[in-house]
Amino acid sequence: MADTNLAHGLDDLDRRILGQLQQDCSLSNLDLAARVHASPPTCLRRVRKLMQSGLILRQVALLDPARLGAALTVIIEVSLDAQAAAQLDAVEAGLISEPAVQQCYRVSSGPDFVLVAQVADMAAYQDLAIRRLTGDPRIRNVRSFFATARSKFDPSIPIVD
């Protein structure tokens, strides 16, 4: 099986570039090159290589959910009545098609899925729960946890040697 861990092939410049881009991917190539102490052509070539290798999945803007009317974060545990592969796949497809669901994880030793959803308020959560969760006969149990405060949110990945 091929090693999909590309971190071992990164040099110090690649790590510096990735570190800077994780903090602000809107940097111009000139600004990025200055911050990582590389020439602009070298920096551009490295960024393109990192994108082509799949290490950089995409470049996005992080938005303020409260200012967009989606202030309630919900962590949801979903347990199915059976864990057949086809059933897991079908339920997962429905869950990830839901716009309010930002993250969906299959997990072991507990529920079958853990979701992170961002909704406007309790009424919006109730709509989501009825539409996608409690109305599905394959879903046996749903437990929801409502965030009262967010202490940390950092999508950065530590880049190790």
Side-chain angles (χ1 to χ4, degrees), residues 24 34 46 71 92:
D24 184 359
R46 293 292 188 103
E92 183 177 50

Side-chain angles (χ1 to χ4, degrees), residues 7-16 46 49:
H8 300 297
L10 298 176
D11 64 15
D12 187 53
L13 177 57
D14 291 331
R15 287 184 179 84
R16 290 194 313 266
R46 293 292 188 103
K49 178 188 81 159

